[in-house]
Amino acid sequence: MATPRQPAPPSGASQARSEADTPSSRIMRFGEAQPLILESGSRIEQLQIAYQTYGSLNADRSNAILVCHALTGDQHVASENPVTGKPGWWETMVGPGKPIDTDRFFVVCSNVVGGCMGTTGPASTNPATGQPYGLDLPLITIPDMVRAQAMLIDALGIERLFCVAGGSMGGMQVLQWAARYPDRVRNALPIAAGPRHSSQNIAFHEVGRQAIMADPDWRGGHYLAEETSPRKGLAVARMAAHITYMSDEGLHRKFGRKLQDRDHIAFGFDADFQIESYLRHQGLSFVERFDANSYLYVTRAMDYFDLAADYGGRLANAFLGTKTRFCVVSFTSDWLFPTIESKSVVRALNAAGAEVSFVEIETDRGHDAFLLDEPVLFATVRGFLSTAANGDGSP
Amino acid sequence: MTSGSNPRGHSPRVDLLVIAELVERGSRVLDVGCGDGELLKLLIDTRGVHGRGIEISQDGVNESLARGLSVIQGDADTDLIDYPDDAFDYVVLSQTIQATQNPRRVLGEMLRIGGKAIVSFPNFGHWSVRTSLGFKGRMPVTENLPYSWYDTPNIHFCTIRDFVDLCRDIDAHIEKAVALGAGGQRMTLNAPWWFWNLFGQQAVFLLSR
C-alpha cells in the first residue's frame, strides 16, 4: 500500500506540545491537599484544569452553564483554538445572541482530565519524575472527568449550575453530572449521547487504539520522552473514528464515488476517491493537534461508561427524585449514538418521574450533526434554555 | 397528531376550557398529542398542574419547548408503554384519538398511566357529517374536520355512541361527559346519548378505571 503523502513539518505540533503543560487559557491548579481521587482507586496529586469562560457570572451566581466537550474537543468552545487557529468547536451554538447566549449566561468549558490541552493528561509533565506521564497516568473514567469539573466549579464559587450541556462524550458527562449531582444541575442537555458505550462503539475505539499501539513510533507510550510520535497510527485511528461520525447517506451526498483531482481511476493505491483524500486529510490534521496517548485514555473512558451499571443495573435509579429538567436530543442518522440510546435515557427519566423533553432531529449528517449548522437543534436549545421551568425562574 | 390549529394569542378553544375545568388544581397531567402545547400551558397557568406532553411533530415539540414545557417527541401508539403505572393523575388525549392506530390500546395505556383519562374528539355522528355522507355522498370537510379524505391524519373516526361502547368494552368508568354544539356551546347535561350524538360537534369525556 502506498504511504499517504508525507505531512508538512509539524507546524502546530510544537504548539500542541506546549499547550499540554502551559495552555493559553485559564488554569486552575489543585495542590496535594486536594487530590483527584479516581474511580480506579488511584489519585492525581497535583491536578491542573485548563478552562475558558465566556460572558459574566451574575450577582447570585445562578447563570452558569457548563459545556462539556466531546472526545477530541477542548475548552475552546467559542474562541480561536490556539493550535489550529480555527474558530471554537461550538461557535455556532455559544456566543452573544446564540442559542447558548453569553449575553445572558456565564459559560464555562474545561479540558477533560486525560486530555492534552492543559488539563492533567498523559502528555502533561509528571511532577514526580519531571517527564511526561505517558502511560504512568492512571486510567480515567467519565465520572472522574466530572468529579474534576465539579472541583473547578467549586473553585469558581458556583454552587448550582443553570445547565450542563454537551454532545457525544460531553453528553455522557451531562448524564453523569445529573446523576451524581442532582442538586447542582437545574437543567441538563445531553445531545447525541447515551447512558453507555455500546459494544460496536467499543469495537471501533479498539481499532483506533490498536492502530496507535501498532505504530513503531509509539514506543510503548514513551514517544514524548523519545522524541518520536505515532503519527501514522493516530491518523488511522482518527480516520476510522471519523467514519462513525458521518452517515452513509451524508457521505454519499457529499462525496459519492467522485474522483480526486483526476478523470479516471489510476489503478493504484493513491487517493483516487475524494472520500479517501478527505479521510487522509482529517487524519493528518488531527495528529497536528492531538496527543496519541490522550486518545487512548479518553476513548477508554468512553468505553468504560455505563451509567446504569453504577446504579444497580437500572438506569432510572440514577435519576430517582431528580429535580433537574432534561432535554434529550438525538439525530435520525446517528449510528454511533442512535436514537434508541437517547430513548433509553428518556424512558428512565420518565420512570423516575423526571421533567424531560426529547427531540429527534431529522438529518443525514450523522453523529457530527451536533457540531454543525442545524437550525432545529438551535431552536431546541434556545427554547429549552430561554424558558425557565414551571416558575423555577431565573435567570 | 397535532391538536387543531389555533393561532397564538386567541382565546383558548372551548373544548380546552372544558378539559381545564375537569382537571384538579396542582395535579400531574400528561397531554398525549399536545401539539404546540396550548392546552398544557393553559393547564399550568390556570390550574397550576405539573404538566408533561408527548407530540409527534418536530414543530410542535419545538413550539412547546419554547413555551417552557417538557415535551417528548413521540407517538401515542408506541411510546406510552415507557411510562410507569400511576405516573400521572390525568392523561389527556385532546382531539387526537382519531389519529391513533389503535385507540383501544391507547385508551388502556392512558388509564394505566393515569388515575383518570380525559378524551376529547370530533363527533362523527353529528348531523352535518350524516348529512354530508347521507345526502351528498361525500366525506365531510368541516371546521372541526378540516382535512380531505386523502390527506387526513385521522384514521379512526368515531361517534359519541361508538366511544361510549368502547368505554364499556374496556371497563372504563365514564365519570363525566360534555358535548359541545356547533358554536362551541355546552349542551344540556340531561339529554339522552342519541341527542348528543346527533347535535354534539365535539365531545369531552372524563374516564376512570
Side-chain angles (χ1 to χ4, degrees), chain B residues 16-45:
Chain B
L16 302 188
L17 293 173
V18 171
I19 292 172
E21 281 170 27
L22 293 172
V23 169
E24 263 182 62
R25 287 188 173 279
S27 55
R28 300 165 299 165
V29 178
L30 176 66
D31 185 2
V32 181
C34 67
D36 63 7
E38 185 187 8
L39 173 63
L40 265 182
K41 191 79 174 71
L42 178 74
L43 290 173
I44 291 166
D45 290 347

Side-chain angles (χ1 to χ4, degrees), chain A residues 17 46 48 78 88 109 183 264 294 335 395:
Chain A
R17 186 70 202 90
Q46 292 179 39
Q48 171 170 303
C109 183
D183 298 334
H264 43 79
S294 215
W335 57 287

Side-chain angles (χ1 to χ4, degrees), chain B residues 91-139:
Chain B
V91 181
V92 177
L93 194 65
S94 165
Q95 306 288 332
T96 298
I97 194 166
Q98 73 278 3
T100 62
Q101 291 282 343
N102 191 332
R104 182 192 166 104
R105 196 173 56 208
V106 168
L107 214 51
E109 286 290 314
M110 289 171 69
L111 286 164
R112 176 185 66 77
I113 298 167
K116 289 180 177 163
I118 297 175
V119 183
S120 78
F121 58 90
N123 173 28
F124 213 68
H126 187 259
W127 64 265
S128 65
V129 173
R130 300 190 198 195
T131 311
S132 183
L133 261 176
F135 288 99
K136 295 194 224 154
R138 310 288 296 270
M139 287 296 280

Side-chain angles (χ1 to χ4, degrees), chain A residues 5 10 15 68 75 84 92 113 152 213 223 269 311 326 352 383:
Chain A
R5 280 168 292 174
Q15 174 71 16
C68 303
Q75 67 272 36
T84 63
T92 50
V113 177
L152 171 67
M213 294 190 282
Y223 54 88
F269 295 108
Y311 289 86
F326 290 81

Side-chain angles (χ1 to χ4, degrees), chain A residues 325-327 343 346-347 350-362 376 379-380 383-384 386-390, chain B residues 44 49-53 55 58 61-62 64-75 78-79 81-84 87-88:
Chain A
R325 187 171 158 256
F326 290 81
C327 181
K343 278 206 157 179
V346 172
R347 200 171 298 128
N350 274 332
E355 206 173 310
V356 53
S357 294
F358 167 65
V359 186
E360 182 186 23
I361 293 170
E362 201 169 326
V376 180
T380 301
F384 179 65
S386 63
T387 56
N390 299 343
Chain B
I44 291 166
V49 307
H50 303 280
R52 309 286 162 77
E55 169 57 33
Q58 203 149 74
V61 173
N62 270 337
S64 299
L65 275 173
R67 289 180 167 191
L69 304 168
S70 290
V71 174
I72 286 169
Q73 189 169 15
D75 187 331
T78 53
D79 292 345
I81 51 168
D82 294 341
Y83 291 82
F88 293 90

Side-chain angles (χ1 to χ4, degrees), chain A residues 249-259 273-275:
Chain A
E249 317 141 76
L251 277 177
H252 195 77
R253 179 167 53 79
K254 200 165 167 188
F255 302 106
R257 291 180 54 85
K258 281 181 278 199
L259 301 180
F273 296 102
Q274 282 186 5
I275 178 63

